[in-house]
Amino acid sequence: MRGDARGSLIALESGHEVPFDIARIYYIFGNNPGVERGFHAHERLTQWAICVSGSCVMRVDDGATRADVLLDRPDLAIEIGWLTWREMHDFSPDAVLLVLASERYDIDDYIIDYEQFLEKSRT
Ligand code: TYD
């Protein structure tokens, strides 16, 4: 964090703070009340998710263990690796969820069936 008397600043660089080359950035905001997102895993994708405004709950599941992580600070990132089922819940109205991704968008990398995810996570 590079804060000074004016306020806060966070800089993220590939190969420095972020342990992968950033191929893509996207952000999720303006969700309708009660919306839940995600519900998939990826074969080969690493992501960092940061709620830079507001809050949400990131549910991560590696096939054996499930955890709900509250993302409610702009200086808190969760790393989501390969073969991790993720769900996003409880978005606050002002939530802006920033995601840094190691790969470009590839629909073929998505696993959207939970049973299929469980099978892959066991192999
Ligand atoms: P989706 O992966 O379903 O979002 P979430 O996991 O948050 O529910 O993506 C929603 C839409 O946006 C879908 O049509 C695919 C598109 N999309 C892209 O074009 N590029 C991207 O990098 C992402 C993440 C999604």
Side-chain angles (χ1 to χ4, degrees), residues 24-26 28 36-40 42 47 86 88 104-107 110:
R24 175 168 52 111
I25 295 171
Y26 62 94
I28 295 169
E36 297 176 319
R37 308 191 60 124
F39 296 91
H40 64 260
H42 290 276
Q47 295 182 305
R86 85 285 314 274
M88 290 155 263
R104 297 179 67 164
Y105 180 68
D106 177 8
I107 187 69
Y110 278 63

Side-chain angles (χ1 to χ4, degrees), residues 41-42 73 107 114 117:
H42 290 276
R73 289 172 15 210
I107 187 69
Y114 187 72
F117 157 71

Side-chain angles (χ1 to χ4, degrees), residues 4-23:
D4 57 29
R6 298 169 298 174
S8 303
L9 186 155
I10 292 176
L12 301 173
E13 295 184 5
S14 292
H16 194 197
E17 293 84 2
V18 182
F20 52 82
D21 286 338
I22 299 166

Side-chain angles (χ1 to χ4, degrees), residues 107-120:
I107 187 69
D108 294 330
D109 189 59
Y110 278 63
I111 305 165
I112 57 169
D113 181 78
Y114 187 72
E115 293 305 318
Q116 193 188 351
F117 157 71
L118 284 180
E119 271 175 38
K120 284 181 184 275

Side-chain angles (χ1 to χ4, degrees), residues 19-117:
F20 52 82
D21 286 338
I22 299 166
R24 175 168 52 111
I25 295 171
Y26 62 94
Y27 37 101
I28 295 169
F29 58 97
N31 289 303
N32 287 322
V35 85
E36 297 176 319
R37 308 191 60 124
F39 296 91
H40 64 260
H42 290 276
E43 296 265 9
R44 291 164 185 269
L45 177 70
T46 304
Q47 295 182 305
W48 271 28
I50 304 161
C51 212
V52 293
S53 171
S55 63
C56 70
V57 171
M58 182 71 74
R59 178 168 294 165
V60 284
D61 176 350
D62 66 3
T65 307
R66 180 177 292 180
D68 282 350
V69 180
L70 176 64
L71 300 177
D72 62 349
R73 289 172 15 210
D75 61 347
L76 175 68
I78 182 171
E79 182 171 318
I80 306 171
W82 296 11
L83 288 177
T84 302
W85 187 264
R86 85 285 314 274
E87 301 173 7
M88 290 155 263
H89 300 273
D90 300 336
F91 285 95
S92 64
D94 58 343
V96 180
L97 183 66
L98 175 70
V99 183
L100 316 178
S102 65
E103 311 295 331
R104 297 179 67 164
Y105 180 68
D106 177 8
I107 187 69
D108 294 330
D109 189 59
Y110 278 63
I111 305 165
I112 57 169
D113 181 78
Y114 187 72
E115 293 305 318
Q116 193 188 351
F117 157 71

